[in-house]
Amino acid sequence: MPNNQPLTVFALDCGATNWRLYRAEYEAAGACARLISEPQPSPMTSFVDRRLPAAICLDPKGEALESFGEVAQQQLEDEACRERVREYFKPCIGSHLVENPLPHQKRFTHARALAYTRMLLQAVLGQVRQEKWRSGPFDDRVCFTFAYPIHWKYDHDGVVFDEFARTVRECFDPAFDRIRFVAEPEGAILSLSHRGQLDPQKTGKVTCIVDIGGSTTDIVAGRIDPRSGTLEYLGHYGEPFGGGLYDAELAKRIADDLAIPASALADDPSAILSLRVSAQRLKESLSRQLAHSEQARHVPQRTVTLVMRDGSIYRRVVALDEARFREVTGALDSQFRNLIEHALAAMPIRPQDIGPVVLVGGGSQLFSILGYLRERFGPQNIILADNPEEIVVQGIGLEYGAASRAAGPVTIIPPEPPAEKREPEIPSPEAGDAWSLKSADGSSSPLVAGVTKIGRGEGNDLQIDTLKVSRFHAEVKLSAGVLEVVDLGSTNGTFVNGERLTPREPRTLNPGDEVCFGAAKFICSK
């Protein structure tokens, strides 16, 4: 970029529920880029309340885009059109690589989810060109930055990220190369650092950034460098869990309230999509009241009308209070609690070392999640960022200046948490603890007294290099001659003699027992 030439950076956070667009201005300053205009929302005619619903409606042939955003979302109310509406497709990206994908990850194929992402992005870029760029071609005066879930790049050898990046680049002219990609947690860190919300004075404690989106939750942990105020990375963890799952469960209950027969929903499966919109708005209204108060001022309610494909009409006023919300979504709250425990087990940090826990992402405003985190880490440690749903998109708008400094990026996230690999020590025979795990190829891994970490990641004592094994899969503990194994919430499970273990519950092992970590089989030997 030549000196003194202004550069416009458009930042896009392509979320599962909503997309957000920010714009920032930079100018060259020697080898650096200086921010001359803070990242701000860049709304267009299709954006409502600074967001674009992640929804498209296909044409009758199902080959092209007919509408998108709120217009497409409104077509969910039209029984003649809603079967052509596609929404909440981001969770399905990469699902083909997951051993046991969750129901919301199986709504569309991976290829279809990418195709719908491409259609929506092409429509958004067309509006950017028309409304923000004077209908001219994108050139070296503009740059686009895209957020992505961190696990897309570091799981499955980065295949999901590579295909997402290729899909994005296909939406631009092949000659245009000013396209950047930033992990969502890193965007959050950049934004929080810029706002001064990462406290460099708390140098003895670990800071956790918890990003709860519509379909994924990513956690990054590190310590604040008192000199630079940036985060010294310790580890990350992510799972396909987000606020959109609550909408799906509440939508099912609304269908029960409307007394819609199961046979009618089976004949018109897209009808439940329309109910999700009502569920989302009821959930958000209740959370806005309870996130900062112990009692809601009023019970949110909506008149829900659903016209089925056969012409039958269902209409009722639906209310959502705290008791009903917890009854319907209690299993999801338990799932989130397990996610936090899995993250603590997977990252090289102790719960007692955790200080500030900064919440970002739209799902962080959900009152039940916020309440649990205050209970788990202490209310004084929980920081709910202002406009948390916009933290990531603001941060990736700041990335250009961070990455243009001579010193390099503010935060560099490596593929695995840094840790020294400990060579196993052979216990002395008289200790009575001479256990080992023998693999199918005949090799033997001696086990030492204490905890042996097992997984695909480099920080494990027993590293198993296969995609069927999670990065931090399980642990075995040897104490006083007794050997136990515990699953750490792995994707493909830990099995003892064919029985899948309940995560976090230890199982005592005996000589000759068969232990499988995913598809990796071992025999306990003593």
Side-chain angles (χ1 to χ4, degrees):
M1 182 173 63
N3 283 343
N4 302 322
Q5 177 176 305
L7 175 76
T8 298
V9 174
F10 286 106
L12 264 167
D13 182 5
C14 305
T17 306
N18 294 293
W19 285 22
R20 298 184 184 277
L21 176 68
Y22 263 54
R23 175 175 178 161
E25 301 291 334
Y26 289 86
E27 70 175 4
C32 302
R34 184 172 66 88
L35 185 68
I36 58 176
S37 174
E38 291 282 330
Q40 296 290 335
S42 184
M44 297 185 295
T45 53
S46 58
F47 280 62
V48 178
D49 295 330
R50 299 152 63 121
R51 62 186 180 180
L52 174 76
I56 62 173
C57 184
L58 303 175
D59 65 7
K61 292 184 178 180
E63 298 174 353
L65 189 71
E66 180 178 275
S67 63
F68 66 98
E70 188 179 39
V71 175
Q73 198 173 66
Q74 289 174 344
Q75 289 181 273
L76 288 171
E77 300 176 7
D78 184 346
E79 72 278 8
C81 297
R82 64 170 168 254
E83 66 178 9
R84 295 189 276 116
V85 176
R86 304 291 184 266
E87 53 87 53
Y88 206 61
F89 40 81
K90 182 181 178 180
C92 302
I93 297 177
S95 61
H96 64 304
L97 298 175
V98 179
E99 183 72 16
N100 296 303
L102 298 173
H104 69 284
Q105 296 177 283
K106 297 188 291 184
R107 296 181 64 232
F108 310 107
T109 65
H110 167 75
R112 285 290 182 187
L114 286 176
Y116 301 148
T117 300
R118 182 187 297 107
M119 287 182 177
L120 184 53
L121 180 56
Q122 287 173 334
V124 171
L125 292 176
Q127 278 204 333
V128 171
R129 185 177 288 107
Q130 180 179 359
E131 299 180 24
K132 306 295 182 181
W133 205 245
R134 302 172 295 281
S135 300
F138 297 133
D139 52 31
D140 61 0
R141 297 170 297 165
V142 64
C143 175
F144 285 85
T145 305
F146 292 86
Y148 66 89
I150 192 171
H151 60 269
W152 281 5
K153 192 164 189 177
Y154 298 122
D155 289 350
H156 310 298
D157 297 321
V159 170
V160 180
F161 170 77
D162 290 342
E163 295 193 12
F164 171 72
R166 182 166 57 250
T167 298
V168 169
R169 291 190 177 100
E170 288 171 353
C171 297
F172 292 87
D173 186 285
F176 182 76
D177 61 356
R178 291 183 172 271
I179 305 169
R180 306 163 77 95
F181 298 91
V182 182
E184 291 171 356
E186 185 168 359
I189 292 168
L190 287 165
S191 180
L192 294 168
S193 297
H194 188 70
R195 295 181 179 198
Q197 290 183 278
L198 294 182
D199 188 353
Q201 300 305 315
K202 297 182 179 180
T203 55
K205 291 288 187 177
V206 172
T207 295
C208 288
I209 313 294
V210 182
D211 182 2
I212 307 169
S215 64
T216 60
T217 293
D218 284 313
I219 301 172
V220 168
R223 287 188 171 87
I224 305 300
D225 185 332
R227 294 166 297 180
S228 64
T230 58
L231 194 78
E232 296 178 339
Y233 175 84
L234 288 177
H236 75 265
Y237 182 81
E239 284 190 18
F241 177 94
L245 300 186
Y246 289 80
D247 303 335
E249 291 302 313
L250 291 168
K252 296 175 187 176
R253 182 56 62 91
I254 293 175
D256 292 341
D257 289 345
L258 270 60
I260 304 174
S263 58
L265 287 174
D267 292 337
D268 190 359
S270 61
I272 202 73
L273 301 182
S274 178
L275 300 181
R276 283 175 62 115
V277 178
S278 294
Q280 178 187 353
R281 290 170 181 167
L282 285 168
K283 176 197 73 177
E284 291 175 348
S285 179
L286 182 65
S287 286
R288 278 193 296 268
Q289 297 182 67
L290 292 177
H292 304 287
S293 174
E294 295 183 357
Q295 187 173 0
R297 296 182 299 276
H298 65 274
V299 177
Q301 60 182 27
R302 290 177 60 86
T303 299
V304 180
T305 302
L306 186 66
V307 181
M308 304 298 288
R309 188 180 299 165
D310 62 4
S312 56
I313 300 175
Y314 297 87
R315 179 182 291 111
R316 181 175 176 177
V317 175
V318 177
L320 182 66
D321 59 15
E322 180 180 0
R324 190 160 194 252
F325 177 90
R326 292 189 182 278
E327 175 194 351
V328 175
T329 64
L332 291 174
D333 286 341
S334 297
Q335 186 178 339
F336 180 75
R337 291 185 178 94
N338 290 335
L339 184 157
I340 294 298
E341 297 308 314
H342 297 165
L344 295 177
M347 296 187 293
I349 56 176
R350 300 180 302 172
Q352 59 266 35
D353 292 335
I354 295 176
V357 178
V358 186
L359 307 184
V360 301
S364 64
Q365 300 179 84
L366 192 57
F367 74 93
S368 59
I369 285 178
L370 184 59
Y372 166 70
L373 291 173
R374 285 170 174 163
E375 173 188 327
R376 180 67 176 81
F377 298 105
Q380 72 282 359
N381 287 331
I382 302 301
I383 302 172
L384 179 61
D386 296 334
N387 298 320
E389 69 279 5
E390 298 182 6
I391 291 291
V392 167
V393 68
Q394 181 194 54
I396 64 173
L398 294 164
E399 185 271 348
Y400 188 87
S404 298
R405 294 196 191 101
V410 169
T411 307
I412 300 176
I413 300 181
E416 294 291 348
E420 293 184 5
K421 188 171 181 180
R422 173 169 57 88
E423 293 296 330
E425 301 174 3
I426 307 295
S428 58
E430 61 270 19
D433 292 345
W435 287 82
S436 64
L437 292 176
K438 291 187 176 180
S439 64
D441 63 7
S443 61
S444 181
S445 300
L447 301 175
V448 300
V451 175
T452 298
K453 297 180 179 180
I454 299 172
R456 194 177 76 247
E458 294 180 359
N460 291 285
D461 304 304
L462 175 55
Q463 185 181 6
I464 305 174
D465 189 15
T466 171
L467 292 178
K468 296 288 185 179
V469 175
S470 297
R471 289 172 298 162
F472 301 97
H473 194 106
E475 293 178 348
V476 292
K477 180 180 180 181
L478 181 58
S479 177
V482 177
L483 186 65
E484 294 181 325
V485 61
V486 60
D487 183 84
L488 298 178
S490 62
T491 300
N492 296 311
T494 301
F495 300 80
V496 175
N497 298 327
E499 178 185 353
R500 184 164 185 163
L501 303 185
T502 301
R504 313 300 301 174
E505 292 187 6
R507 172 70 64 87
T508 300
L509 297 172
N510 297 303
D513 282 349
E514 178 187 89
V515 184
C516 295
F517 306 104
K521 185 184 298 184
F522 294 85
I523 300 296
C524 295
S525 177
K526 185 176 182 182

